[in-house]
Amino acid sequence: MTSMNRYHQWLCNSRMWARAVEKDLLPWALEDVQLGAETLEIGPGYGATTRVLARRTGGRLSVLEVDGGAAERLRAEYGDRVEVVHGDGSAMPLPDGRFDAVLCFTMLHHVPSPRQQDQLFAEAFRVLRPGGVFAGCDGRASRGFRLIHLWDTYVPVPPRTLPDRLRAAGFSTPGISLRKDNFRFRAVRP
């Protein structure tokens, strides 16, 4: 993973992180979110979130991963149970209106600029069906969060700006919930 330092790579590929994702992060991030028949996860990285989603999703799960090596590892792990697409979230090689839910977890801060983050939001809107939900979570900027990301791509999303950015992408009713170190978001394509 080219945008992550070695410690961060180890952490995201650790059992400790996988347990935190399964027991805390995803249950909180997806509380009351209906996934539907077609779900897309943007930026699964090492796949800790994908492992949980693959068990939780009643329909078809697709993932979009920008790192070619990570995409190959995910293909090897999931075979035909999960559609793995190598591509950039700010220019998705996916058709309009395909998904009931588009999700991303702790990856927005790895998108290299606010402009590209906004393009990712617009792309999430484009690939959603009307009534579909865009949901996920990310870390809140802090000294500790920054230290984990030394020499990484690190562009934190200020939660207070996210509702307006999601509305600019076309979403309605964006909502943000805060915890000490994280925020979650939800928005619907009208």
Side-chain angles (χ1 to χ4, degrees), residues 40 83 92-99 123 125-129 189:
L40 172 66
E83 177 188 18
M92 295 184 200
L94 298 164
D96 295 358
R98 175 177 166 190
F99 298 98
E123 283 290 281
F125 181 86
R126 180 184 65 77
V127 301
L128 275 169
R129 294 180 179 127
R189 177 176 177 164

Side-chain angles (χ1 to χ4, degrees), residues 128-173:
L128 275 169
R129 294 180 179 127
V133 65
F134 179 41
C137 64
D138 209 359
R140 296 176 69 184
S142 69
R143 185 172 304 182
F145 196 47
R146 178 67 190 123
L147 286 173
I148 292 170
H149 292 84
L150 286 177
W151 303 288
D152 281 7
T153 300
Y154 175 70
V155 182
V157 174
R160 66 180 163 60
T161 69
L162 192 52
D164 286 340
R165 293 171 73 185
L166 292 172
R167 276 195 277 291
F171 289 103
S172 65
T173 63

Side-chain angles (χ1 to χ4, degrees), residues 84-101:
V84 178
V85 178
H86 177 225
D88 185 336
S90 64
M92 295 184 200
L94 298 164
D96 295 358
R98 175 177 166 190
F99 298 98
D100 300 296

Side-chain angles (χ1 to χ4, degrees), residues 35-190:
L35 298 182
E38 290 269 351
T39 298
L40 172 66
E41 179 187 11
I42 304 169
Y46 290 100
T49 51
T50 306
R51 284 181 204 100
V52 177
L53 290 172
R55 290 191 305 268
R56 179 179 171 165
T57 305
R60 179 145 175 84
L61 176 61
S62 301
V63 298
L64 178 70
E65 174 55 46
V66 71
D67 183 272
E72 286 304 315
R73 285 189 295 277
L74 290 166
R75 279 189 196 102
E77 181 173 347
Y78 292 102
D80 61 358
R81 293 180 298 140
V82 173
E83 177 188 18
V84 178
V85 178
H86 177 225
D88 185 336
S90 64
M92 295 184 200
L94 298 164
D96 295 358
R98 175 177 166 190
F99 298 98
D100 300 296
V102 174
L103 311 171
C104 60
F105 307 102
T106 66
M107 58 71 65
L108 290 173
H109 61 276
H110 286 293
V111 178
S113 71
R115 185 176 73 66
Q116 286 175 290
Q117 292 168 349
D118 290 342
Q119 289 173 323
L120 184 146
F121 302 150
E123 283 290 281
F125 181 86
R126 180 184 65 77
V127 301
L128 275 169
R129 294 180 179 127
V133 65
F134 179 41
C137 64
D138 209 359
R140 296 176 69 184
S142 69
R143 185 172 304 182
F145 196 47
R146 178 67 190 123
L147 286 173
I148 292 170
H149 292 84
L150 286 177
W151 303 288
D152 281 7
T153 300
Y154 175 70
V155 182
V157 174
R160 66 180 163 60
T161 69
L162 192 52
D164 286 340
R165 293 171 73 185
L166 292 172
R167 276 195 277 291
F171 289 103
S172 65
T173 63
I176 307 293
S177 299
L178 302 175
R179 294 198 305 191
K180 180 182 176 207
D181 296 323
N182 309 93
F183 68 91
R184 69 180 177 191
F185 64 90
R186 286 154 199 171
V188 175
R189 177 176 177 164

